[in-house]
Amino acid sequence: MLVTFSGVVYVGTAADFNLNVFAPPAETIQGRASVVDGDTIEVAGQRVRFNGIDAPESSQQCEDAQGFRYQCGAAAAEALDEFLAKSRPIRCEFVEWDRYGRYVGNCFRADGESVAAWLVESGHALDWPKYSGGAYAGEQASARQAKRALWSGSFQEPWEWRSENDDEGKSGIVPLFGTLSGECSIKGNLSNKGERIYHLPGQEFYNRTRISAGKGERWFCSEQEARQAGWRKSRR
């Protein structure tokens, strides 16, 4: 059976993919945010990707007005952190789940200012027409004219940079459905006590374990990856 999700076709059944984890949450997410990168935060244990924009990756470099290379991804994340700190908490309204299990949303500071709009207008992120429909084209034009941040020098669009650098997963996140293609088969599950436990194929509880992205659960491609992320192996 072919299952289509967010325009991507997967082979299997709806049960195989556990598509219920992508049901929209009943309420918006609100709380103190920690910055993952220039367009992604974590709120109350949920990773949130800003809708309609794209910022440079953490390891991406750009050139400033003098032609010197700098870590533009790190600069975007730092600017975002400072911006959010001025008016907490943040509130995010659900748009969709992406294929990495991230909550994609429109987010606002406590004072009501749109985070995505600010990132684009300040020059630290780009309007991503593929997903925004040009919603932030005006903010981008303003940033470009004023030569703010990225626009003060030269840079490569983040989506193009990822394509050339095989960094499709953004920030080390792997597709939730990797196991169906044989790529990732280790299940990272949260116990009732909140303990992070990973299950290997063949272990007693492996087949019973369901991965819920909304709870912060995920797939791993190796035991080393799971341990480095702070998960321990199931005893059974």
Side-chain angles (χ1 to χ4, degrees):
M1 175 181 177
L2 297 180
V3 177
T4 302
F5 172 70
S6 295
V8 180
V9 178
Y10 302 94
V11 179
T13 68
D16 289 333
F17 291 107
N18 194 19
L19 291 181
N20 64 302
V21 304
F22 294 104
E27 300 178 355
T28 58
I29 292 179
Q30 182 168 310
R32 186 185 181 95
S34 58
V35 174
V36 177
D37 61 24
D39 53 36
T40 308
I41 59 175
E42 188 167 301
V43 183
Q46 175 64 61
R47 191 158 289 198
V48 179
R49 176 72 160 84
F50 300 138
N51 180 47
I53 68 169
D54 202 7
E57 294 302 317
S58 299
S59 57
Q60 187 173 346
Q61 293 187 340
C62 303
E63 291 186 358
D64 63 17
Q66 287 72 46
F68 292 106
R69 298 187 68 79
Y70 72 101
Q71 299 293 128
C72 49
E78 183 177 353
L80 173 61
D81 189 53
E82 293 177 356
F83 174 73
L84 295 179
K86 294 177 181 177
S87 182
R88 293 186 170 118
I90 194 171
R91 174 176 56 85
C92 297
E93 300 172 351
F94 180 82
V95 175
E96 65 175 350
W97 295 105
D98 72 8
R99 76 189 194 98
Y100 300 100
R102 289 172 300 187
Y103 173 117
V104 178
N106 295 315
C107 301
F108 306 88
R109 290 195 317 189
D111 60 7
E113 188 164 357
S114 166
V115 178
W118 179 84
L119 280 166
V120 176
E121 190 164 19
S122 65
H124 290 293
L126 303 182
D127 174 63
W128 199 354
K130 179 179 178 180
Y131 298 103
S132 72
Y136 304 105
E139 287 85 353
Q140 182 160 295
S142 174
R144 185 171 188 171
Q145 183 175 10
K147 296 183 178 181
R148 300 187 189 108
L150 292 172
W151 299 101
S152 66
S154 61
F155 62 90
Q156 185 176 26
E157 289 85 353
W159 52 87
E160 293 292 341
W161 188 91
R162 286 195 299 276
S163 177
E164 293 184 8
N165 290 273
D166 296 322
D167 193 26
E168 183 184 9
K170 280 190 67 65
S171 304
I173 302 174
V174 297
L176 288 176
F177 306 128
T179 185
L180 295 178
S181 62
E183 297 174 11
C184 304
S185 59
I186 300 174
K187 297 179 178 181
N189 175 252
L190 292 177
S191 71
N192 293 333
K193 297 180 179 180
E195 187 176 10
R196 298 182 175 188
I197 303 171
Y198 67 85
H199 302 263
L200 301 174
Q203 286 192 294
E204 182 177 348
F205 298 113
Y206 183 86
N207 291 333
R208 303 185 214 171
T209 301
R210 294 289 180 268
I211 301 303
S212 172
K215 292 167 53 181
E217 297 174 335
R218 56 167 294 186
W219 294 90
F220 295 101
C221 294
S222 70
E223 287 193 76
Q224 180 181 6
E225 179 188 10
R227 289 193 296 268
Q228 288 178 342
W231 303 65
R232 73 159 176 83
K233 183 178 179 179
S234 173
R235 297 187 179 92
R236 301 168 63 183

